[in-house]
Amino acid sequence: MAAPSAARSLLLCVMVAAFLHLQLQIPPMAAAAASPNKTDGRDDGRGKTLSLTLYQHETINKTGYIVVDGVAGAGVSQTTTPFGTIYVFRDNLTVSADVASPVAGVAEGSSITTSLDGLQSLSLAKITLHGHRGHRGSVSVLGGTYNTAPSDYPVLGGTGDFAYALGYVRSSPVDLRGRTVTYKMELHLYWPPYAHYAPLHQSKFSTTASSAATMMAVKSEVFTVYQHDRLNETGYVVAAGDEGAPSSDTTRPFGTIYVFRDELTLRSNSDSPVAGVVEGTSTTTSFDGLRNLLAARISLHYRGYRGSVSVLGGSHNTKPSVYPVVGGTGDFLYTEGYVRSSPVDSDGPRVMHRLDIHLYWPPYTKFAPGP
Ligand SMILES: *[C@@H]1O[C@H](CO)[C@@H](O)[C@H](O)[C@H]1NC(C)=O
Ligand SMILES: *[C@@H]1O[C@H](CO)[C@@H](O)[C@H](O)[C@H]1NC(C)=O
Ligand SMILES: *[C@@H]1O[C@H](CO)[C@@H](O)[C@H](O)[C@H]1NC(C)=O
Ligand SMILES: *[C@@H]1O[C@H](CO)[C@@H](O)[C@H](O)[C@H]1NC(C)=O
């Protein structure tokens, strides 16, 4: 009994030592690759951290609208909405609590009331910074909001400077009186050491990243497929907004909720072999009717791989967009990465997007349990 278990422990020790050895080689390279901004956090092989504070201002019927009425419980008040209410918002983020202070970014998404007292909701959002303190990119969050107390949302993924970010966003009420309510929004982000080696959609660091990725023998793959969406056949408007842009071939009113199940083919011809399906919901979150918050599952059976990835992020109806992969199943369990979606044909009820799905398996996946 004792011998095999001792042998196993020894093997485990060797494996752990090998892994630690590999990890210990990383810090100097990571430092060279990213030239971390010392004032912004540390990057000493334990990863990099960044904290930012912004202020979110929300005005009912101006920056946020109820698009689906709730059905039970509390009524509509400054801080409550009936159970099941779907609220869609696009709120500016400013650098101080003063609504007139400089705008640093935007928070867009939706909240679904999930308590009968009308105080709690499930929120899906994308928080975008336009260069605040030199940071440009977005983080996607999904979590619970308590309207009158601080709430923490986990960060599921990011794009741009926030690619592969983890962490949380804390939202705390500052002023709930009056028509415009203000919340303090603190972003607490963390990049694990491997984030430096993951493939990026910006050219920055990519040479170092790919050679380091090869060195660490982590896996990455790119899958290209074509998404075919046909209005009233594979996708439907289930809740119509009525603010901002009208309904057209390329725009939808603010707050419109669209639900789809679209085939993914190997080539742009819709008769080419099917490699999977993308299903989900897209909510219009801009008043020009062109931008959406997308929550979807992409299932693939392609090049011997089978599984799904979940995505949550921003999409654009007529321009290329990038949204993060926030999880996976099957052969894509533990993957991270991003999807670049480029419209090929977007001027009609039949829309085609090319999806380049960039997936990355972080080094720890070797040790993580499978299904
Ligand atoms: C917002 O608009 C709706 C629909 O027009 C209206 O019923 C509601 O009273 C408005 N709410 C506020 C706070 O202005
Ligand atoms: C939000 O910020 C943008 C850009 O600074 C500005 O044009 C817009 O008017 C602001 N929206 C509100 C509701 O203040
Ligand atoms: C480093 O961070 C500081 C403070 O946030 C900022 O002013 C500066 O531009 C940053 N430098 C670089 C090289 O990103
Ligand atoms: C889709 O269905 C809606 C509602 O029935 C209708 O108003 C719209 O014209 C239809 N659009 C197309 C392109 O079929």
Side-chain angles (χ1 to χ4, degrees), residues 91-134:
D91 297 337
N92 280 349
L93 301 172
T94 59
V95 299
S96 80
D98 180 357
V99 67
S101 66
V103 174
V106 66
E108 61 196 292
S110 62
S111 282
I112 306 166
T113 309
T114 48
S115 71
L116 287 166
D117 66 7
L119 286 168
Q120 292 178 60
S121 54
L122 180 73
S123 299
L124 293 78
K126 176 191 173 209
I127 298 159
T128 309
L129 297 196
H130 307 306
H132 177 59
R133 285 170 54 192

Coordinates of all heavy atoms in Angstrom, one line a residue, residues 91-134:
D91 N -24.9 54.3 -19.9 CA -24.6 55.4 -19.0 C -23.2 55.9 -19.1 O -22.3 55.1 -19.2 CB -24.7 54.9 -17.5 CG -26.2 54.4 -17.2 OD1 -27.1 54.9 -17.9 OD2 -26.3 53.6 -16.3
N92 N -23.0 57.2 -19.1 CA -21.6 57.7 -19.2 C -20.9 57.5 -17.8 O -21.6 57.5 -16.8 CB -21.7 59.2 -19.4 CG -21.8 59.6 -20.9 OD1 -21.7 58.7 -21.7 ND2 -22.1 60.8 -21.2
L93 N -19.6 57.3 -17.9 CA -18.8 57.2 -16.7 C -17.9 58.4 -16.7 O -17.1 58.6 -17.7 CB -17.9 55.9 -16.9 CG -18.7 54.6 -17.0 CD1 -17.8 53.4 -17.3 CD2 -19.5 54.3 -15.8
T94 N -17.9 59.1 -15.6 CA -17.1 60.3 -15.5 C -16.0 60.1 -14.5 O -16.0 59.2 -13.7 CB -18.0 61.5 -15.1 OG1 -18.6 61.2 -13.8 CG2 -19.0 61.8 -16.1
V95 N -15.0 61.0 -14.5 CA -13.8 60.8 -13.6 C -14.1 61.2 -12.2 O -13.4 60.8 -11.3 CB -12.6 61.6 -14.2 CG1 -12.2 61.1 -15.6 CG2 -12.9 63.1 -14.2
S96 N -15.2 62.1 -11.9 CA -15.5 62.4 -10.5 C -17.0 62.3 -10.4 O -17.7 62.1 -11.4 CB -15.0 63.7 -10.1 OG -15.9 64.7 -10.6
A97 N -17.5 62.4 -9.2 CA -18.9 62.2 -8.9 C -19.8 63.3 -9.6 O -21.0 63.2 -9.8 CB -19.2 62.2 -7.4
D98 N -19.1 64.4 -10.0 CA -19.8 65.5 -10.6 C -20.2 65.1 -12.1 O -19.3 64.8 -12.9 CB -18.9 66.7 -10.6 CG -19.5 67.9 -11.3 OD1 -20.6 67.8 -11.8 OD2 -18.9 69.0 -11.3
V99 N -21.4 65.1 -12.4 CA -21.9 64.7 -13.7 C -21.3 65.5 -14.8 O -21.2 65.1 -16.0 CB -23.5 64.7 -13.7 CG1 -24.0 66.1 -13.7 CG2 -24.0 64.0 -15.0
A100 N -20.8 66.7 -14.5 CA -20.2 67.6 -15.5 C -18.7 67.3 -15.7 O -18.1 68.0 -16.5 CB -20.4 69.1 -15.1
S101 N -18.1 66.4 -14.9 CA -16.7 66.2 -15.0 C -16.4 65.4 -16.3 O -17.4 64.8 -16.9 CB -16.2 65.4 -13.8 OG -16.8 64.1 -13.7
P102 N -15.2 65.3 -16.7 CA -14.9 64.7 -18.0 C -15.4 63.2 -18.1 O -15.3 62.4 -17.1 CB -13.3 64.7 -18.1 CG -13.0 65.8 -17.2 CD -14.0 65.9 -16.1
V103 N -15.9 62.9 -19.3 CA -16.4 61.5 -19.5 C -15.2 60.6 -19.9 O -14.4 60.9 -20.8 CB -17.4 61.5 -20.7 CG1 -17.8 60.1 -21.1 CG2 -18.6 62.4 -20.3
A104 N -15.1 59.5 -19.2 CA -13.9 58.6 -19.4 C -14.3 57.3 -20.1 O -13.5 56.6 -20.6 CB -13.3 58.2 -18.0
G105 N -15.6 57.1 -20.1 CA -16.1 55.8 -20.7 C -17.6 55.7 -20.6 O -18.3 56.6 -20.4
V106 N -18.0 54.4 -20.9 CA -19.5 54.2 -20.9 C -19.8 52.8 -20.4 O -18.9 51.9 -20.5 CB -20.0 54.4 -22.4 CG1 -19.4 53.3 -23.3 CG2 -21.5 54.4 -22.4
A107 N -20.9 52.6 -19.7 CA -21.4 51.3 -19.2 C -22.7 51.1 -20.0 O -23.6 51.9 -19.9 CB -21.6 51.3 -17.7
E108 N -22.8 49.9 -20.7 CA -24.0 49.6 -21.4 C -24.4 48.2 -21.1 O -23.5 47.3 -21.0 CB -23.7 49.8 -22.9 CG -22.7 48.9 -23.5 CD -22.2 49.4 -24.9 OE1 -23.0 49.4 -25.8 OE2 -21.0 49.8 -25.0
G109 N -25.7 48.0 -21.0 CA -26.1 46.6 -20.8 C -27.6 46.5 -20.4 O -28.3 47.5 -20.7
S110 N -27.9 45.5 -19.7 CA -29.3 45.3 -19.2 C -29.3 44.7 -17.8 O -28.4 44.0 -17.4 CB -30.1 44.5 -20.2 OG -29.6 43.2 -20.3
S111 N -30.4 45.0 -17.1 CA -30.7 44.5 -15.8 C -32.1 43.9 -15.8 O -33.0 44.5 -16.3 CB -30.7 45.6 -14.8 OG -29.4 46.1 -14.5
I112 N -32.2 42.7 -15.2 CA -33.4 42.0 -15.1 C -33.8 41.9 -13.6 O -33.0 41.3 -12.8 CB -33.3 40.6 -15.7 CG1 -32.8 40.7 -17.1 CG2 -34.7 39.9 -15.7 CD1 -32.3 39.4 -17.7
T113 N -34.9 42.4 -13.2 CA -35.3 42.4 -11.8 C -35.6 41.0 -11.3 O -36.4 40.3 -11.9 CB -36.5 43.4 -11.5 OG1 -36.2 44.6 -12.1 CG2 -36.7 43.5 -10.0
T114 N -34.9 40.6 -10.3 CA -35.0 39.2 -9.8 C -35.4 39.0 -8.4 O -35.2 38.0 -7.8 CB -33.7 38.4 -10.1 OG1 -32.6 39.3 -9.5 CG2 -33.4 38.2 -11.5
S115 N -36.0 40.1 -7.8 CA -36.5 39.9 -6.4 C -37.9 40.6 -6.4 O -38.1 41.6 -7.0 CB -35.6 40.5 -5.4 OG -35.6 41.9 -5.4
L116 N -38.8 40.0 -5.5 CA -40.1 40.6 -5.5 C -40.2 41.9 -4.8 O -41.1 42.7 -5.0 CB -41.1 39.6 -4.8 CG -41.4 38.4 -5.7 CD1 -42.1 37.3 -4.9 CD2 -42.3 38.8 -6.9
D117 N -39.1 42.2 -3.9 CA -39.1 43.6 -3.3 C -38.6 44.6 -4.3 O -38.5 45.8 -4.0 CB -38.2 43.6 -2.0 CG -36.8 43.3 -2.3 OD1 -36.3 43.2 -3.4 OD2 -36.0 43.1 -1.3
G118 N -38.2 44.1 -5.5 CA -37.8 45.0 -6.6 C -36.5 45.7 -6.4 O -36.1 46.6 -7.2
L119 N -35.7 45.2 -5.5 CA -34.4 45.8 -5.2 C -33.2 45.1 -5.8 O -32.1 45.7 -5.9 CB -34.1 45.9 -3.7 CG -35.0 47.0 -2.9 CD1 -34.9 46.8 -1.4 CD2 -34.5 48.4 -3.3
Q120 N -33.4 43.9 -6.2 CA -32.2 43.1 -6.7 C -32.4 42.8 -8.2 O -33.6 42.5 -8.7 CB -32.1 41.8 -5.9 CG -31.6 42.1 -4.5 CD -31.5 40.9 -3.7 OE1 -30.7 40.0 -4.0 NE2 -32.3 40.8 -2.6
S121 N -31.3 42.7 -8.9 CA -31.4 42.3 -10.3 C -30.2 41.6 -10.8 O -29.1 41.6 -10.1 CB -31.7 43.6 -11.2 OG -30.7 44.5 -10.9
L122 N -30.3 40.9 -11.9 CA -29.2 40.3 -12.6 C -28.7 41.3 -13.7 O -29.6 41.7 -14.5 CB -29.6 39.0 -13.2 CG -28.4 38.3 -13.9 CD1 -27.4 37.7 -12.9 CD2 -29.0 37.1 -14.8
S123 N -27.5 41.7 -13.7 CA -27.0 42.7 -14.7 C -25.9 42.1 -15.6 O -25.0 41.3 -15.1 CB -26.4 43.9 -13.9 OG -27.4 44.5 -13.1
L124 N -26.1 42.4 -16.9 CA -25.1 42.0 -17.9 C -24.6 43.3 -18.5 O -25.4 44.1 -18.9 CB -25.7 41.2 -19.0 CG -26.3 39.9 -18.9 CD1 -27.6 39.9 -18.3 CD2 -26.4 39.2 -20.3
A125 N -23.3 43.5 -18.5 CA -22.8 44.8 -19.0 C -21.4 44.8 -19.6 O -20.7 43.8 -19.3 CB -22.9 45.9 -17.9
K126 N -21.2 45.7 -20.4 CA -19.9 46.0 -20.9 C -19.5 47.4 -20.5 O -20.2 48.3 -20.7 CB -20.0 45.9 -22.5 CG -18.7 46.2 -23.2 CD -19.0 46.4 -24.7 CE -17.7 46.9 -25.4 NZ -18.1 47.6 -26.6
I127 N -18.3 47.5 -19.9 CA -17.8 48.8 -19.5 C -16.6 49.1 -20.4 O -15.6 48.3 -20.4 CB -17.3 48.6 -18.0 CG1 -18.5 48.3 -17.1 CG2 -16.6 49.9 -17.5 CD1 -18.2 47.7 -15.8
T128 N -16.7 50.2 -21.0 CA -15.6 50.6 -22.0 C -14.9 51.9 -21.6 O -15.6 52.8 -21.2 CB -16.3 50.9 -23.4 OG1 -17.1 49.7 -23.7 CG2 -15.3 51.0 -24.5
L129 N -13.6 51.9 -21.6 CA -12.8 53.1 -21.4 C -12.2 53.6 -22.6 O -11.7 52.8 -23.4 CB -11.7 52.8 -20.3 CG -12.2 52.3 -18.9 CD1 -11.0 52.5 -18.0 CD2 -13.3 53.1 -18.4
H130 N -12.3 54.9 -22.8 CA -11.8 55.5 -24.1 C -10.4 56.1 -23.9 O -10.2 57.2 -24.5 CB -12.8 56.6 -24.6 CG -14.2 56.1 -24.7 ND1 -14.6 55.0 -25.4 CD2 -15.3 56.6 -24.2 CE1 -15.9 54.8 -25.3 NE2 -16.4 55.8 -24.6
G131 N -9.5 55.6 -23.1 CA -8.2 56.2 -23.0 C -8.0 56.8 -21.6 O -6.9 57.4 -21.4
H132 N -8.9 56.5 -20.7 CA -8.7 57.1 -19.3 C -7.4 56.5 -18.7 O -7.2 55.3 -18.7 CB -9.9 56.6 -18.5 CG -9.8 57.0 -17.0 ND1 -9.7 58.3 -16.6 CD2 -9.8 56.3 -15.9 CE1 -9.7 58.4 -15.3 NE2 -9.7 57.1 -14.8
R133 N -6.5 57.4 -18.2 CA -5.2 57.1 -17.7 C -4.5 56.1 -18.6 O -3.8 55.2 -18.2 CB -5.3 56.4 -16.3 CG -5.6 57.5 -15.2 CD -6.0 56.9 -13.9 NE -5.0 56.0 -13.4 CZ -5.2 55.1 -12.4 NH1 -6.4 55.1 -11.7 NH2 -4.3 54.3 -12.0
G134 N -4.7 56.3 -19.9 CA -4.0 55.5 -20.9 C -4.6 54.2 -21.2 O -4.0 53.4 -22.0

